[in-house]
Amino acid sequence: MLDSYAVIGNPISHSQSPLIHTTFSHQTDQAMQYEAILAQQNGFPAAVTAFRQQGGKGMNVTIPFKLEAYQLSTRLTERARLAQAVNTFRFDGNQILGDNTDGAGLVRDIESNLDVPIATKRVLLLGAGGAARGAILPLLEQKPSVLAIANRTIHKAHTLHQQFISYGHIVSGDFMDFSGEHFDIIINATSSSLHDALPELSPSNFTHQSLAYDMMYSNKPTRFLEFAKQQGVNHLADGIGMLVEQAAESFFLWRGIRPKTKDVIAMLQSKVST
Ligand code: NDP
């Protein structure tokens, strides 16, 4: 009998998680299976319960259910509690452990895959939605010299600033508040790229040495990455590495084994670009 895992969301057919986790399980020789589950908009708790009753061991949770997953969890990791969003369940008897591996995946991609240490760097985080919230604690744990949180709706940036103020050096504002300031790492955690739009950024935020990172990925460079390139930035990255690294972090929570990610990232990069 194979241990059973799944990703749940709506829509779900586009999800790369089954491919990623199946590849991880073969690589690490784990007796497990992984499927994709489409939940109706108002059917998330029922779908999770049904999967548990069938013996499911854990789940990944994606759009639009990360907040509901947070509420459904009976125990939370510190990073999930602060993110107020859950992307990973582990079912431990009667307990539902909720974790958030997105931010750890982002940090691992930046530091291990892209070889950019975050410590002492000036980091600009664009956005104040779920993805940004999940990234703040893992970023601050690496001790950047400053983490600037910039959002179109400024009060959301200020709220996050207050929430995380005791974890590191944070400043917050709207995009133009940071006009004229240089950053070493600029992370687009807005959903603007989904709509082929660009946050109203100051070109002066970028230097030739900056890393420009878009959490989104697609088969062509996003508007954000194009804009960064126009400012002379050479180090550009999209969110494929983060996607694979957050999956590896979930896999570790479930199986206690950390899969190798390099080849899986390369496989997905070639798949997305074709
Ligand atoms: P949310 O809907 O929670 O947040 C959206 C954010 O984007 C808000 O801060 C919003 O600002 C901002 N925004 C939207 N449109 C614009 C625009 N045109 N200009 C400026 N700001 C804008 O989304 P998520 O946080 O869940 O997702 C954000 C991105 O991260 C998505 O592209 C998603 O695909 C990606 N992601 C990637 C992952 C990966 O593994 N690679 C994992 C998770 C997310 P406002 O508050 O003003 O509305």
Side-chain angles (χ1 to χ4, degrees):
M1 178 93 168
L2 298 176
D3 287 347
S4 195
Y5 298 87
V7 59
I8 183 167
N10 185 338
I12 201 64
S13 57
H14 67 288
S15 174
Q16 304 293 339
S17 292
L19 173 62
I20 295 171
H21 282 283
T22 303
T23 308
F24 285 166
S25 67
H26 291 160
Q27 181 207 108
T28 57
D29 212 13
Q30 295 292 294
M32 59 182 276
Q33 60 189 18
Y34 191 103
E35 63 185 300
I37 295 176
L38 175 71
Q40 296 312 310
Q41 293 290 344
N42 58 359
F44 176 71
V48 173
T49 302
F51 185 70
R52 287 180 73 197
Q53 283 170 348
Q54 290 156 20
K57 301 271 186 203
M59 287 179 126
N60 287 127
V61 181
T62 187
I63 289 172
F65 298 125
K66 290 184 185 181
L67 186 58
E68 269 191 84
Y70 171 73
Q71 288 157 348
L72 203 62
S73 302
T74 58
R75 288 196 300 130
L76 290 165
T77 61
E78 169 80 345
R79 59 194 183 187
R81 187 180 66 74
L82 283 164
Q84 294 173 14
V86 158
N87 78 336
T88 307
F89 284 144
R90 191 181 70 198
F91 304 130
D92 298 335
N94 289 333
Q95 301 284 337
I96 302 178
L97 175 68
D99 194 5
N100 188 314
T101 64
D102 283 335
L106 169 74
V107 164
R108 192 172 278 271
D109 193 35
I110 291 174
E111 295 215 308
S112 302
N113 301 332
L114 302 172
D115 208 14
V116 177
I118 295 168
T120 73
K121 298 287 171 59
R122 291 176 52 78
V123 180
L124 175 60
L125 181 66
L126 309 169
R133 220 168 39 222
I136 294 173
L137 179 66
L139 285 169
L140 288 174
E141 283 174 343
Q142 304 312 311
K143 307 255 183 288
S145 68
V146 65
L147 177 64
I149 304 171
N151 196 48
R152 180 177 60 182
T153 310
I154 192 169
H155 76 83
K156 293 188 195 167
H158 290 331
T159 301
L160 288 180
H161 182 171
Q162 289 311 313
Q163 192 191 341
F164 287 91
I165 199 160
S166 61
Y167 293 88
H169 181 203
I170 306 177
V171 292
S172 59
D174 64 20
F175 301 124
M176 278 303 148
D177 283 336
F178 299 106
S179 172
E181 292 192 40
H182 296 329
F183 291 91
D184 304 301
I185 302 172
I186 301 159
I187 301 164
N188 184 18
T190 76
S191 53
S192 60
S193 297
L194 286 173
H195 318 293
D196 204 20
L198 182 70
E200 286 174 23
L201 282 175
S202 163
S204 62
N205 293 152
F206 299 87
T207 73
H208 295 315
Q209 284 77 37
S210 302
L211 166 67
Y213 192 105
D214 199 331
M215 285 193 186
M216 211 196 91
Y217 54 88
S218 76
N219 54 6
K220 61 181 174 62
T222 65
R223 287 280 298 278
F224 168 76
L225 292 180
E226 276 178 345
F227 182 75
K229 197 172 175 190
Q230 284 158 15
Q231 313 320 316
V233 177
N234 296 313
H235 205 172
L236 309 167
D238 69 16
I240 286 188
M242 173 179 174
L243 176 74
V244 174
E245 294 296 348
Q246 63 78 28
E249 196 77 14
S250 299
F251 193 91
F252 180 70
L253 182 78
W254 296 329
R255 310 299 300 183
I257 295 175
R258 197 171 281 288
K260 295 197 177 71
T261 51
K262 199 172 156 219
D263 292 349
V264 185
I265 293 170
M267 173 184 73
L268 281 188
Q269 278 167 339
S270 66
K271 188 165 179 265
V272 165
S273 63
T274 51

